[in-house]
Amino acid sequence: QVQLVESGGGLVQAGGSLRLSCAASGRTSSSYAMGWFRQAPGKERELVAAISRSGGTSYSADSVKGRFTISRDNAKNTVYLQMNSLKPEDTAVYVCAATSVTGSYYYTRLGSYDYWGQGTQVTVSS
């Protein structure tokens, strides 16, 4: 079991930056590949970025590629999402998730994730 708590969301102007953090407690986070998802009102939850257990490989959705970077610090049991050049369409609740699927890769399917945080709101004003 792992518990996930996100922080770092807020209100920012278009073009600005935010850094989200996801702190894991319970079983060490290095046991899990991790992902950041987002859900805007009236839309389905979508994967933003994912990272392998070691942090050696990662994935970013096309919509955020070149602007968002996922990283992790296993010594601190924390995963980060650095968001730059934010756009109004990035406005959503951002949720951290962990998957206990074994392997050395990241995972892009929502159904692969077993544990979810409560989410943190990111609002980008134009």
Side-chain angles (χ1 to χ4, degrees):
Q1 285 272 351
V2 64
Q3 293 76 44
L4 305 172
V5 178
E6 303 94 337
S7 62
L11 173 64
V12 64
Q13 288 189 328
S17 298
L18 284 173
R19 187 196 198 199
L20 305 183
S21 298
C22 173
S25 60
R27 196 172 171 187
T28 57
S29 67
S30 60
S31 299
Y32 302 90
M34 304 289 290
W36 282 100
F37 291 77
R38 68 184 180 187
Q39 188 163 18
K43 293 188 177 181
E44 293 186 352
R45 185 168 291 190
E46 63 173 351
L47 177 69
V48 174
I51 192 165
S52 63
R53 292 189 293 174
S54 69
T57 56
S58 64
Y59 163 89
S60 296
D62 287 343
S63 58
V64 304
K65 198 164 292 184
R67 299 188 297 122
F68 292 10
T69 303
I70 189 170
S71 62
R72 66 189 302 161
D73 185 338
N74 286 340
K76 296 182 178 180
N77 287 331
T78 303
V79 176
Y80 305 98
L81 185 67
Q82 178 66 45
M83 305 187 296
N84 299 327
S85 302
L86 283 160
K87 304 175 181 180
E89 52 264 42
D90 294 319
T91 295
V93 175
Y94 284 71
V95 184
C96 173
T99 172
S100 57
V101 174
T102 57
S104 304
Y105 307 104
Y106 54 78
Y107 298 91
T108 59
R109 287 180 60 248
L110 186 148
S112 297
Y113 289 84
D114 308 290
Y115 305 100
W116 297 85
Q118 292 298 309
T120 185
Q121 176 71 45
V122 171
T123 302
V124 184
S125 63
S126 58

